[in-house]
Amino acid sequence: MRNLLLISLSLIANLCDAQPPQKAVSDSMTWKASEEYKDPSFFKRLLLGTNYRQEWGTAVKLPVFRLAQTDFTIDELGGGNQTKSLQFKDKQGREWVLRTIDKEVEKALPPALRHTLAQRVVQDLVSAAHPYAPVTIPPMAKALGVVAPIPVIYFVPNDPAFGQYQTIFANRLCLLEQKSPTPDNGKSEGTDEMFEKILTENNHLIQQQNLLKARLLDMLISDWDRHADQWRWGQQEINNIDYYYPIPRDRDQAYFSSNGILVKLAQMISAKHFVGFRDNLRQVKNLSYKSWKFDKLFLNTLDAKVWDSTIRFVQAQLTDDLIHQAMLKMPPEIYPISGPEMEQKLKDRRDDLLHKGMKYYHFLSQMVTINGTDQEELFHISGNNSNLIIQVYAWKDGKAAHKVYERVFTRKETWQIKLQGFDGNDQFVVEDGTNSKIRLLFVGGKGKDTYDIKGKVKYKIEDDKGEDSSLVSLSKTLAQ
């Protein structure tokens, strides 16, 4: 099953090469990403860093995006507090997103800090992000079998076809990409939608090893801004199970780098995730700070062997030549400025990935949560002093149906495991002869939950009061 899933996901990655309509391009324009960050004083360089100021201020030749020459129709204005985006639909019904490269930080700040020195400082720190980073990521993602959009950067003129949004995007560099680059042009889902489904029904699962590959790529490119909203999820059905595969998006913070004193102080005091793109993988745990909960939740099936083999796969796929070709996706005016140095850093970080990646695995494995669903599940625990085996099955018609979870734990790596049943009449079974020092926390939730604790384990039961839960011996086993 696992090999079939990996093969099909690899085919997906090869199919997801949708490009913006070429008829959108009728001419070109030489333009800078921003005039905002040029000619810093010595004091500004000292406090806020050299960063990627030269890249932002170097004029590059780019195609011109003329809306009237496409088959796009404007759908709606989107974007967060810093980036403006405009969503389009083409004649096939596919969704596209046009996003500004430069950011405007005013609305991201509390009202009291707007139009102050603080706003000018935060705005200047945008220069720590590489303006052309997003176009370098797709070749590496494709080599790993990770589905990802293929962005193209355009110059957007003062175009009346934009209507009421004309002034927002006029005379700016923007990135255009497909919102849901799925092979069947089907819709993808946000993380909240996906998570609700996997907690509701036990035939919805995440393809965790593919997600791990995507997260390892995040670490390599020093992308610290990988919270749940930075992902979409495609869906693939195999043997009546709906598997969700990750689609990473919004690579604005890839290769983040600043040598400014204020950035270093911010990392020490509060923004621990401000880990720069260096020639090594120090502080992977801090780099991933905004993803801790995400990783603990969605990578909880994978043991040390899977992490080790997946990291080695990533190292083997990201060859020196592939990294070089990825960097060449930058505009030719930009590559000589930072391309060779970034290549070398990526190679060094790749070579360091096994050691530092496994350290992050051990951090995630200290406390593990295993979630059931609102349907009925059987949580089955067995093992000995060396290994604790946890399996979760869908429970249907008085017997175990398909397996939804399995992992082998060791006390050396893990000291507590939380098993959470949610709704449904769940069963928690610790087989006779089981012996482990790992602490087990059973959280039954709603329903008539049953607990059969025979082995020698440390455990605690938390269940909703008022529901009919019991601590009894079960006669039902996996053999049924």
Side-chain angles (χ1 to χ4, degrees):
M1 169 67 72
R2 175 176 289 180
N3 289 336
L4 175 63
L5 191 58
L6 290 176
I7 290 172
S8 49
L9 283 169
S10 177
L11 292 174
I12 284 176
N14 289 329
L15 288 170
C16 293
D17 286 342
Q19 295 279 5
Q22 291 301 308
K23 62 183 180 180
V25 182
S26 61
D27 51 11
S28 60
M29 173 66 73
T30 300
W31 206 260
K32 299 176 181 178
S34 179
E35 294 275 1
E36 184 79 29
Y37 317 112
K38 65 179 182 179
D39 301 327
S41 65
F42 171 78
F43 186 68
K44 178 181 283 190
R45 288 198 307 271
L46 181 65
L47 288 181
L48 302 179
T50 304
N51 307 344
Y52 293 109
R53 297 179 189 278
Q54 188 176 356
E55 288 84 347
W56 282 95
T58 297
V60 299
K61 186 177 181 180
L62 293 170
V64 177
F65 182 83
R66 299 193 185 279
L67 182 56
Q69 297 177 13
T70 74
D71 62 357
F72 289 158
T73 55
I74 296 176
D75 190 12
E76 62 180 352
L77 184 70
N81 290 327
Q82 299 183 46
T83 303
K84 297 298 182 183
S85 68
L86 195 59
Q87 298 185 28
F88 302 114
K89 285 187 178 178
D90 62 20
K91 288 184 177 180
Q92 288 74 43
R94 297 177 299 184
E95 296 177 309
W96 299 80
V97 180
L98 185 75
R99 294 191 293 116
T100 56
I101 296 292
D102 201 5
K103 297 180 180 294
E104 297 175 358
V105 304
E106 178 183 342
K107 292 185 178 180
L109 296 173
L113 295 181
R114 296 174 186 176
H115 309 293
T116 66
L117 175 62
Q119 179 177 326
R120 295 198 296 273
V121 168
V122 175
Q123 182 67 58
D124 190 80
L125 287 176
V126 172
S127 64
H130 197 296
Y132 303 101
V135 298
T136 69
I137 312 301
M140 293 185 283
K142 184 176 181 179
L144 301 181
V146 174
V147 176
I150 302 177
V152 177
I153 297 177
Y154 291 96
F155 170 77
V156 178
N158 192 7
D159 187 351
F162 277 72
Q164 60 181 314
Y165 309 118
Q166 178 178 349
T167 58
I168 297 176
F169 296 91
N171 299 320
R172 303 185 69 170
L173 298 192
C174 295
L175 180 149
L176 179 70
E177 63 185 14
Q178 192 175 358
K179 184 177 180 180
S180 299
T182 53
D184 57 357
N185 293 323
K187 291 185 177 181
S188 58
E189 297 183 353
T191 301
D192 288 344
E193 298 171 284
M194 179 275 296
F195 189 45
E196 182 178 358
K197 288 185 178 180
I198 67 173
L199 289 184
T200 302
E201 299 179 353
N202 49 36
N203 64 338
H204 292 266
L205 302 174
I206 293 176
Q207 211 295 308
Q208 294 199 7
Q209 190 171 3
N210 211 51
L211 175 59
L212 176 57
K213 290 187 289 184
R215 287 291 295 121
L216 292 170
L217 181 58
D218 294 341
M219 298 173 195
L220 286 174
I221 61 178
S222 198
D223 191 346
W224 51 261
D225 193 22
R226 304 310 301 160
H227 54 80
D229 194 44
Q230 304 289 53
W231 302 84
R232 295 195 67 81
W233 303 86
Q235 190 172 332
Q236 185 181 27
E237 182 179 337
I238 299 177
N239 296 333
N240 298 318
I241 304 294
D242 289 328
Y243 289 93
Y244 291 93
Y245 57 87
I247 306 174
R249 63 175 185 169
D250 193 351
R251 291 298 192 177
D252 293 345
Q253 299 301 336
Y255 314 121
F256 175 88
S257 181
S258 176
N259 56 357
I261 293 176
L262 286 183
V263 175
K264 294 177 181 178
L265 288 175
Q267 186 194 10
M268 293 172 58
I269 297 171
S270 59
K272 62 176 66 179
H273 53 278
F274 279 0
V275 177
F277 180 59
R278 304 186 180 96
D279 58 0
N280 58 65
L281 271 172
R282 289 183 301 169
Q283 302 183 55
V284 168
K285 179 181 172 182
N286 286 350
L287 171 66
S288 302
Y289 172 69
K290 295 182 74 172
S291 301
W292 286 359
K293 293 181 180 179
F294 179 91
D295 291 341
K296 285 176 176 289
L297 189 62
F298 296 142
L299 296 176
N300 67 346
T301 303
L302 309 180
D303 59 21
K305 290 183 179 179
V306 176
W307 271 72
D308 183 282
S309 64
T310 306
I311 292 173
R312 293 180 189 275
F313 170 81
V314 170
Q315 290 177 313
Q317 293 300 112
L318 299 184
T319 63
D320 290 357
D321 182 65
L322 187 138
I323 290 173
H324 174 65
Q325 295 302 320
M327 293 301 103
L328 288 178
K329 295 295 183 179
M330 292 187 228
E333 300 89 344
I334 300 299
Y335 176 80
I337 300 173
S338 52
E341 181 181 357
M342 292 171 67
E343 281 183 34
Q344 189 56 53
K345 286 182 178 180
L346 276 172
K347 295 172 187 177
D348 292 340
R349 293 169 72 88
R350 173 202 61 196
D351 295 342
D352 200 25
L353 184 60
L354 183 59
H355 175 59
K356 300 300 171 50
M358 291 307 297
K359 288 186 67 174
Y360 187 61
Y361 160 79
H362 287 293
F363 162 69
L364 295 179
S365 297
Q366 293 173 10
M367 299 177 63
V368 175
T369 296
I370 302 171
N371 288 322
T373 71
D374 289 340
Q375 296 180 320
E376 296 182 354
E377 280 91 32
L378 167 65
F379 294 79
H380 183 264
I381 298 96
S382 61
N384 50 42
N385 287 323
S386 299
N387 298 318
L388 185 70
I389 304 169
I390 296 186
Q391 299 166 314
V392 182
Y393 292 84
W395 189 260
K396 189 174 182 180
D397 299 328
K399 62 181 180 180
H402 61 275
K403 187 186 297 181
V404 298
Y405 184 95
E406 182 173 18
R407 179 172 168 182
V408 179
F409 295 89
T410 67
R411 180 61 183 87
K412 183 178 179 180
E413 295 176 352
T414 306
W415 71 272
Q416 177 178 289
I417 302 172
K418 179 180 179 181
L419 302 103
Q420 189 157 293
F422 293 104
D423 290 355
N425 301 326
D426 300 310
Q427 303 185 49
F428 299 84
V429 178
V430 179
E431 288 291 348
D432 191 18
T434 302
N435 191 346
S436 177
K437 294 182 179 180
I438 298 176
R439 184 174 184 269
L440 300 176
L441 175 60
F442 300 104
V443 182
K446 297 180 180 179
K448 298 180 180 180
D449 304 314
T450 309
Y451 304 87
D452 181 14
I453 315 297
K454 297 176 183 176
K456 186 179 179 181
V457 294
K458 299 178 180 179
Y459 71 93
K460 180 180 179 182
I461 296 175
E462 295 181 0
D463 216 316
D464 287 351
K465 295 180 179 180
E467 297 292 340
D468 184 7
S469 300
S470 57
L471 180 60
V472 299
S473 176
L474 295 178
S475 59
K476 300 174 180 178
T477 65
L478 288 178
Q480 292 178 300

